[in-house]
Amino acid sequence: MSRILIKDAVKKYGENTVIPDMNLEIKEGDLFTLLGPSGCGKTTLLRMIAGFNSIEGGDIYFNDKRINDIDPSKRNIGMVFQNYAIFPNLSVRENVAFGLKNKKIDKNTIKQETDKYLDLMQIKQYENRMPNQLSGGQQQRIALARALVITPDVLLMDEPLSNLDAKLRLEMRTVIRHTQQNVGITTVYVTHDQEEAMAISDMIAVMKDGVIQHIGKPKDIYQRPRNIFVATFIGRTNLINAKIENGKVIFSNGYSEEIDAIKKYEPQDVVCSIRPEEFVIKDNGEGIHGVVKEYTYLGLNTHYYIEDEKNNMLEIIEESSLEDELKVGEKVVLTVKKEKINIFDKEGNKNLVRSEAYEE
């Protein structure tokens, strides 16, 4: 296993700078996910770690070893791609054993290690089949076994589940997480799927335009995002303009909540990020007044779309009850779970309720 350290890394394509200045540490044994929209630089960074992309500035280390100029084949990495990249003319067993044969390992060790990873990935029963006889999920298990059997220092995974259907993605998500924990290998995982990242990761780096916006554990990133980009990219949220004054957040109709974390700030305009589950729907009293425009019953939860007095369409999620749902056109009052909402400066760059305890 290796700790990965990236210092002042720069990636350019001609005059176009894709990654301007990357500094990142990935701890030994972590499953670390690079998450972001298409074009944010996450796959570019993964390929820099792999050695497939050049580095125009800075350094990358595996432990204390600088790897900038080391050939990809000599970096001792395992790689899993979204298109599986397994050999169609080789059987399942031959695919898994391929890397060991290339290393000129003795036959007994090859058999022993291949058996180990065929069992670990639960594909031993298919060992003599050809890849085209297997499902996408089974083929991805082959790719993962082949990457791990060579005992790499680092495992790199580039959107490995994006070609699978929804059910297989959920299944393979569990397989990847359990396998990574079982083997204990440092893993860098690239995806644009927020739920996938939340489900499998020890740590997540949210990227935008080649710059990391927030590094943290899944819970930290969801509950206390550093800026509005992260708040809106991870999960769903409602953005509402407000102001803060004397330790209170005050909404446009005068409804307010006292929040200890903002008492140190001067009066200013702010943007509140309130996730759908952070609203409470009431019949009357103080709060944000609105009208039910639409609802969807989804068994465990019911999703409401409520228009407030400023014509903002707010999404609210409540646990379904035995009582009838609110009807379209019904007037309601919304209050917020003040301990959960996030409050950003007017520009959306700083989370005013994110305490120093969350900082790295």
Side-chain angles (χ1 to χ4, degrees), residues 125-165:
Q125 65 268 40
Y126 309 122
E127 62 179 331
N128 296 316
R129 294 191 188 181
M130 303 304 283
N132 65 1
Q133 297 175 299
L134 302 178
S135 70
Q138 290 164 342
Q139 290 183 50
Q140 197 58 289
R141 287 171 186 255
I142 299 169
L144 188 53
R146 187 181 64 185
L148 290 170
V149 75
I150 61 172
T151 318
D153 292 324
V154 171
L155 177 64
L156 305 177
M157 308 186 78
D158 187 11
E159 306 222 27
L161 308 184
S162 61
N163 284 343
L164 303 179
D165 63 37

Side-chain angles (χ1 to χ4, degrees), residues 69-341:
D69 304 316
I70 296 177
D71 188 83
S73 63
K74 296 179 180 176
R75 296 190 182 193
N76 195 26
I77 59 172
M79 192 87 190
V80 180
F81 301 92
Q82 67 183 75
N83 62 351
Y84 320 138
I86 54 181
F87 302 112
N89 58 324
L90 300 181
S91 69
V92 171
R93 172 174 284 277
E94 289 168 336
N95 262 285
V96 175
F98 183 83
L100 295 175
K101 288 183 178 178
N102 267 10
K103 289 189 170 188
K104 309 291 192 230
I105 307 294
D106 68 88
K107 288 186 178 180
N108 285 339
T109 302
I110 290 175
K111 183 180 186 311
Q112 181 180 337
E113 290 301 300
T114 302
D115 284 344
K116 173 184 172 181
Y117 282 95
L118 286 170
D119 284 333
L120 182 65
M121 301 310 300
Q122 299 180 354
I123 49 175
K124 184 75 181 295
Q125 65 268 40
Y126 309 122
E127 62 179 331
N128 296 316
R129 294 191 188 181
M130 303 304 283
N132 65 1
Q133 297 175 299
L134 302 178
S135 70
Q138 290 164 342
Q139 290 183 50
Q140 197 58 289
R141 287 171 186 255
I142 299 169
L144 188 53
R146 187 181 64 185
L148 290 170
V149 75
I150 61 172
T151 318
D153 292 324
V154 171
L155 177 64
L156 305 177
M157 308 186 78
D158 187 11
E159 306 222 27
L161 308 184
S162 61
N163 284 343
L164 303 179
D165 63 37
K167 185 178 179 182
L168 277 178
R169 280 202 302 274
L170 291 175
E171 176 188 312
M172 284 303 300
R173 199 193 278 175
T174 303
V175 168
I176 288 170
R177 185 55 178 155
H178 286 177
T179 303
Q180 191 272 338
Q181 289 179 324
N182 189 307
V183 178
I185 187 171
T186 307
T187 301
V188 185
Y189 190 102
V190 163
T191 184
H192 63 270
D193 186 317
Q194 306 106 55
E195 187 177 300
E196 186 179 307
M198 299 277 285
I200 67 167
S201 307
D202 293 307
M203 298 290 285
I204 298 172
V206 182
M207 294 182 65
K208 177 189 177 189
D209 299 331
V211 176
I212 291 176
Q213 304 293 311
H214 188 162
I215 298 174
K217 295 178 181 178
K219 184 176 180 180
D220 169 36
I221 285 181
Y222 185 84
Q223 292 188 340
R224 288 290 180 253
R226 286 183 186 271
N227 58 39
I228 280 185
F229 173 79
V230 178
T232 54
F233 189 78
I234 298 288
R236 301 207 235 351
T237 197
N238 301 281
L239 299 180
I240 301 178
N241 292 324
K243 62 181 180 180
I244 59 172
E245 190 174 321
N246 299 324
K248 292 183 177 181
V249 58
I250 306 168
F251 296 93
S252 60
N253 70 340
Y255 163 59
S256 66
E257 291 284 359
E258 188 170 335
I259 297 176
D260 289 341
I262 61 174
K263 287 182 177 178
K264 60 186 175 181
Y265 293 105
E266 295 293 323
Q268 59 183 287
D269 292 332
V270 294
V271 180
C272 294
S273 168
I274 307 172
R275 297 199 182 277
E277 67 274 16
E278 294 168 1
F279 279 109
V280 176
I281 301 176
K282 299 167 63 178
D283 294 330
N284 51 51
E286 289 191 5
I288 299 169
H289 293 260
V291 178
V292 178
K293 292 295 182 179
E294 185 181 337
Y295 73 89
T296 306
Y297 175 79
L298 294 174
L300 177 63
N301 296 313
T302 301
H303 292 224
Y304 292 100
Y305 293 89
I306 294 174
E307 187 176 34
D308 71 7
E309 297 148 297
K310 293 290 184 179
N311 302 120
N312 297 309
M313 192 63 68
L314 306 177
E315 181 181 7
I316 293 93
I317 296 176
E318 282 202 334
E319 183 179 354
S320 299
S321 69
L322 293 175
E323 300 173 4
D324 290 340
E325 300 82 17
L326 297 172
K327 299 295 184 282
V328 172
E330 193 167 339
K331 292 181 179 180
V332 295
V333 175
L334 305 176
T335 58
V336 298
K337 299 176 183 178
K338 66 177 185 178
E339 71 281 1
K340 289 192 172 185
I341 70 171

